[in-house]
Amino acid sequence: MKRLVFKNILLLIGIVIGCYTVQAQSLLDSTALDNLSEKDKPALLTQLAERYRTNANYAAAIAKAQQSVSLAIKLKNFTEATKAYTMLANVYANMKQFALLKKTSDTTLTIGQKAQQPIALAYAYYAQALFYNAIDNNELVTKYCQMGLKMLEKKYDPYLTAKIYYQLYALNTRWDDVKNVNKYAREATESAIKTTDYNLLSNCYIALSVAADYNFVATKRELQRDSIIYYLNKVQDLYKQYPQYVARKTYAMACINSADYYLKYFPDTDQAAKANAIRYASMANEVMKGVLNGEEVRASSLGILSEYAKRDKNTVMTEGYLQEAYSMMKDQQAPYYYTLINIVTALSSFYEQNGHYEKALEFQKKATAYNSKLFDQKQALNAQKLEVQYEAEKKNNEVKLLKQSEKYAQQQKYLYIGIAIASLLGLIFMFRSYHFRLRYSLQREKQLHLEKQDAELQMKLEKEEQARLKAEQQLLESQQQQLQKEVMASQLQLEHKKEMLFQIKEKFNDNHQLNINKIWNEELLLDNDFEEAKFQIQQVHPEFFALLNQRAQQKLTALDLKLCAYLHLKMDTKKIAQLMHIEAKSVRMSRYRVKQKLGLDKDEDLNLFLRNMA
């Protein structure tokens, strides 16, 4: 017989997130409303609606939520009204009433925006996420969940934070995104621990067990496998500790998942695992007896029990479990076709293996019929989803167009106001500008008159300054000419003195008593002819020798500089030859070398070049 363990049994718990159970009725009885003030009643009414929703009493849940909305709006408590509308959206999502869900989620967003509170907007965004989750728009589910979490950063609410993270966890199980399944299951649990909602915390522990199941499949590590049962045991502990707060359906789902854990991951020969699986499956079946819409969970537990009976080759018990499950499921007003198809398929396989082919064919036909009904149900739901999605997109586009029209109208209004203000400012500016120009013209006329007087005075001062500079320049030129004359006279006198000394030396060269050599040397030291001539030339033009050396790149010798000094003083070749005690031919050769060192062409005049430098 085919193993009867439903494919999505670990994920079914996502449907059942609530805070209250039938056992907790005394805590949230309607009579408690009489003991509350008006402002506290909306919150309690929303809690009552949540209790009815988790127990599938949708009519009562809608009535209490609408009562909470009316009272909250009357009190202008838009935050509580947003929470009540979110509860209504949750109910319509469970009922798969997509049109009402869309209308309610949009109203929730409008009221949340009107409340102007981060917590109200967070609930409104969560309602939007519920709608888009119902029509399988995963992208917008993620978007609105993230927007809700962003609002909760401003005003933290651990209960809503846990529910949003749980929504993201359930969304990622669709894609088998192991990393995000772990992340959001952990985040949801961390927030749920900070609340007193033990049913929500139980669901979060089941989410962690699902994440551990993913991890074990990926890694095959026993630690991850053991984590599955660890988290499921925490749910059972919470139920035993707080039976009035943890829903029986939540506890039963934890038991079913525990039984499935032993069935999936332990061999047939492990008697301890078998005993645990049978115990948990029996506990789930027992606790869900008499619970509204508890047939799916009971059928799952009976399916696990039938699997172990099949392993023991106990055909009577196997058939009994399967027939009991089938009897429960087919009598439902709105059968859950997935479970029903699994049951009749298992019965068909059971009868085929035991040679009862007629019964096998009968149940196979039923499986086909239920598959057809499931397909029709899916088609109808998909048609509703598409219709609502189309209407939603149409409305969203209309809202966008309306907002754009409002934006353009507002911009046009601002433009007209701006033009009016600009025109008024322009008139004021023109009026003030006229007076300013008039006053400016008078001041300008007066300023021009003063500037004219200043200009005339400045011209007079400039003329006097020019006359003074011209007189000083003439004086400097006269002084320079005088210095040049003095240099020339001193140089001639110096050369003449040297010539006389040479004559004395020649006449008395043989007369040792006169010691002419000593007189000659002393005379030379006193005169220091070239340095003196150099000093006098520097008085006329201090940078003369520096410029020569710079032009020749420091290649000129002392004799070269002396020759340049004589040429600058306009001495002829003969005179220079006498003064330097060399032949005229040597003077010409020296001139040629100096021209080369100075980088002059053959056609350039050295004398003219030296005069221009001075």
Side-chain angles (χ1 to χ4, degrees):
M1 183 179 64
K2 184 177 178 181
R3 173 181 164 183
L4 185 62
V5 178
F6 305 121
K7 183 177 180 181
N8 296 319
I9 192 67
L10 288 173
L11 306 181
L12 287 176
I13 195 62
I15 302 170
V16 191
I17 298 182
C19 303
Y20 305 98
T21 65
V22 175
Q23 294 96 320
Q25 187 170 359
S26 60
L27 298 176
L28 285 176
D29 194 88
S30 298
T31 56
L33 291 169
D34 298 333
N35 300 323
L36 293 177
S37 61
E38 286 291 305
K39 67 176 183 178
D40 295 328
K41 286 182 180 179
L44 182 59
L45 286 167
T46 303
Q47 291 177 355
L48 285 169
E50 174 71 357
R51 173 170 66 87
Y52 288 126
R53 184 193 71 81
T54 55
N55 288 285
N57 192 344
Y58 298 134
I62 292 171
K64 293 299 179 184
Q66 288 177 340
Q67 189 178 350
S68 177
V69 167
S70 299
L71 186 57
I73 291 177
K74 178 182 176 182
L75 296 170
K76 294 184 178 180
N77 188 345
F78 298 113
T79 299
E80 285 299 330
T82 304
K83 292 180 180 180
Y85 269 119
T86 303
M87 176 57 57
L88 273 174
N90 208 352
V91 174
Y92 292 136
N94 293 152
M95 296 174 66
K96 301 188 185 301
Q97 296 290 330
F98 302 118
L100 287 173
L101 174 57
K102 172 59 178 171
K103 181 180 178 180
T104 306
S105 62
D106 288 343
T107 304
T108 308
L109 184 58
T110 302
I111 298 297
Q113 291 170 341
K114 191 173 183 180
Q116 296 182 342
Q117 294 292 330
I119 189 66
L121 281 173
Y123 271 93
Y125 293 145
Y126 177 62
Q128 289 289 317
L130 289 173
F131 166 70
Y132 286 110
N133 182 65
I135 63 172
D136 300 324
N137 191 328
N138 299 332
E139 181 180 352
L140 289 179
V141 174
T142 304
K143 173 187 173 182
Y144 281 106
C145 283
Q146 295 298 339
M147 291 171 67
L149 291 172
K150 189 174 182 180
M151 287 296 105
L152 289 170
E153 290 176 2
K154 302 176 183 178
K155 181 67 175 178
Y156 182 60
D157 181 342
Y159 174 74
L160 182 58
T161 302
K163 297 197 81 169
I164 291 177
Y165 277 128
Y166 192 94
Q167 183 70 62
L168 290 169
Y169 146 78
L171 184 66
N172 281 274
T173 58
R174 298 178 185 176
W175 309 321
D176 293 330
D177 188 332
V178 178
K179 180 180 178 182
N180 280 333
V181 166
N182 279 272
K183 174 185 174 183
Y184 292 124
R186 184 173 60 254
E187 294 282 0
T189 306
E190 288 175 359
S191 295
I193 288 173
K194 298 175 184 177
T195 71
T196 56
D197 191 334
Y198 300 111
N199 191 71
L200 175 61
L201 179 58
S202 297
N203 283 285
C204 291
Y205 280 136
I206 294 176
L208 285 175
S209 73
V210 174
D213 192 16
Y214 274 109
N215 297 336
F216 176 67
V217 171
T219 63
K220 302 301 180 184
R221 294 175 58 190
E222 289 190 8
L223 178 63
Q224 298 294 345
R225 188 192 67 179
D226 294 341
S227 296
I228 300 172
I229 201 66
Y230 169 78
Y231 290 119
L232 293 173
N233 284 339
K234 292 184 79 67
V235 178
Q236 295 161 24
D237 292 341
L238 281 173
Y239 179 76
K240 292 174 183 178
Q241 190 174 359
Y242 306 102
Q244 70 274 29
Y245 295 114
V246 179
R248 282 196 285 175
K249 194 168 187 177
T250 304
Y251 169 66
M253 290 301 300
C255 291
I256 287 294
N257 290 351
S258 297
D260 186 63
Y261 161 80
Y262 288 109
L263 183 65
K264 284 169 59 178
Y265 298 126
F266 289 85
D268 298 351
T269 56
D270 192 328
Q271 295 301 314
K274 174 185 173 182
N276 284 327
I278 292 174
R279 177 168 59 88
Y280 282 122
S282 300
M283 289 165 58
N285 184 35
E286 188 64 29
V287 78
M288 290 306 292
K289 286 182 178 178
V291 176
L292 186 64
N293 293 327
E295 291 82 3
E296 290 86 2
V297 179
R298 290 189 64 196
S300 298
S301 65
L302 291 170
I304 293 174
L305 291 172
S306 71
E307 178 65 21
Y308 278 106
K310 174 187 171 183
R311 291 181 180 182
D312 292 338
K313 303 186 185 305
N314 190 333
T315 57
V316 174
M317 292 187 68
T318 302
E319 181 182 13
Y321 288 134
L322 292 175
Q323 285 288 359
E324 184 181 357
Y326 174 63
S327 178
M328 280 192 304
M329 294 302 299
K330 73 174 182 178
D331 292 337
Q332 280 186 309
Q333 186 176 358
Y336 189 69
Y337 286 113
Y338 284 105
T339 305
L340 195 52
I341 290 167
N342 282 329
I343 292 171
V344 295
T345 301
L347 280 168
S348 177
S349 177
F350 168 77
Y351 286 124
E352 182 182 2
Q353 290 176 4
N354 287 277
H356 302 294
Y357 298 111
E358 290 184 2
K359 287 188 176 182
L361 180 60
E362 176 188 350
F363 281 102
Q364 186 58 46
K365 289 179 180 179
K366 289 181 179 181
T368 303
Y370 290 137
N371 271 307
S372 178
K373 289 181 179 181
L374 177 61
F375 177 79
D376 293 340
Q377 187 183 66
K378 282 184 177 180
Q379 290 295 98
L381 286 174
N382 288 335
Q384 290 183 42
K385 289 180 182 179
L386 289 173
E387 183 179 356
V388 171
Q389 190 168 3
Y390 170 76
E391 292 297 329
E393 290 178 357
K394 181 180 177 181
K395 185 175 180 179
N396 289 338
N397 290 333
E398 289 175 355
V399 170
K400 286 181 181 178
L401 289 173
L402 183 60
K403 286 183 178 179
Q404 288 179 352
S405 299
E406 290 178 355
K407 183 179 179 181
Y408 293 148
Q410 192 76 6
Q411 289 176 345
Q412 192 174 27
K413 180 181 176 181
Y414 289 148
L415 179 62
Y416 289 151
I417 293 173
I419 291 172
I421 293 172
S423 300
L424 180 61
L425 292 175
L427 290 173
I428 296 172
F429 174 77
M430 289 174 63
F431 179 76
R432 291 183 61 84
S433 177
Y434 170 75
H435 286 279
F436 175 76
R437 285 200 300 269
L438 182 61
R439 186 168 66 251
Y440 177 75
S441 297
L442 294 174
Q443 291 178 350
R444 182 63 178 166
E445 185 177 353
K446 183 177 180 180
Q447 185 179 358
L448 288 173
H449 180 69
L450 293 174
E451 289 178 355
K452 183 178 180 182
Q453 290 179 344
D454 289 342
E456 291 175 353
L457 180 60
Q458 186 66 26
M459 288 177 65
K460 185 177 179 181
L461 291 173
E462 286 179 357
K463 287 180 180 179
E464 292 178 355
E465 182 67 18
Q466 289 176 0
R468 185 183 65 80
L469 290 174
K470 186 175 181 181
E472 289 181 355
Q473 186 177 3
Q474 290 175 350
L475 178 61
L476 288 172
E477 289 177 354
S478 177
Q479 290 176 348
Q480 186 174 5
Q481 291 175 0
Q482 182 64 30
L483 285 171
Q484 288 177 346
K485 291 177 181 179
E486 291 177 0
V487 167
M488 182 68 76
S490 298
Q491 185 67 25
L492 292 174
Q493 183 180 8
L494 181 61
E495 294 298 328
H496 177 72
K497 191 172 183 179
K498 287 181 180 179
E499 185 177 353
M500 290 299 295
L501 288 172
F502 273 114
Q503 292 176 4
I504 291 171
K505 181 180 179 182
E506 290 175 357
K507 289 181 180 181
F508 295 100
N509 192 30
D510 297 330
N511 190 348
H512 298 285
Q513 294 178 354
L514 294 176
N515 199 0
I516 295 303
N517 289 330
K518 181 178 180 182
I519 296 171
W520 168 255
N521 291 331
E522 289 176 354
E523 191 68 21
L524 287 177
L525 290 173
L526 290 172
D527 289 341
N528 196 8
D529 56 350
F530 179 68
E531 291 301 322
E532 184 65 23
K534 178 179 176 181
F535 173 76
Q536 291 176 357
I537 291 172
Q538 285 179 332
Q539 295 301 309
V540 178
H541 183 51
E543 296 183 356
F544 178 75
F545 290 108
L547 289 172
L548 280 175
N549 276 318
Q550 183 179 356
R551 177 64 185 264
Q553 299 180 353
Q554 307 298 328
K555 295 178 182 179
L556 297 174
T557 64
L559 291 176
D560 292 336
L561 293 172
K562 188 174 183 180
L563 174 61
C564 291
Y566 289 151
L567 292 173
H568 176 70
L569 295 172
K570 299 181 181 179
M571 295 182 182
D572 57 19
T573 303
K574 183 179 179 182
K575 184 65 176 175
I576 294 172
Q578 291 176 352
L579 290 173
M580 295 181 71
H581 305 291
I582 58 176
E583 295 180 359
K585 181 179 179 181
S586 298
V587 173
R588 286 191 290 272
M589 291 297 294
S590 297
R591 284 167 59 90
Y592 178 75
R593 286 194 301 273
V594 169
K595 282 182 68 175
Q596 286 184 325
K597 291 178 181 181
L598 292 172
L600 301 177
D601 295 335
K602 293 181 180 180
D603 298 334
E604 290 189 72
D605 189 346
L606 179 60
N607 293 351
L608 181 61
F609 172 78
L610 293 171
R611 281 191 227 101
N612 288 337
M613 284 191 67

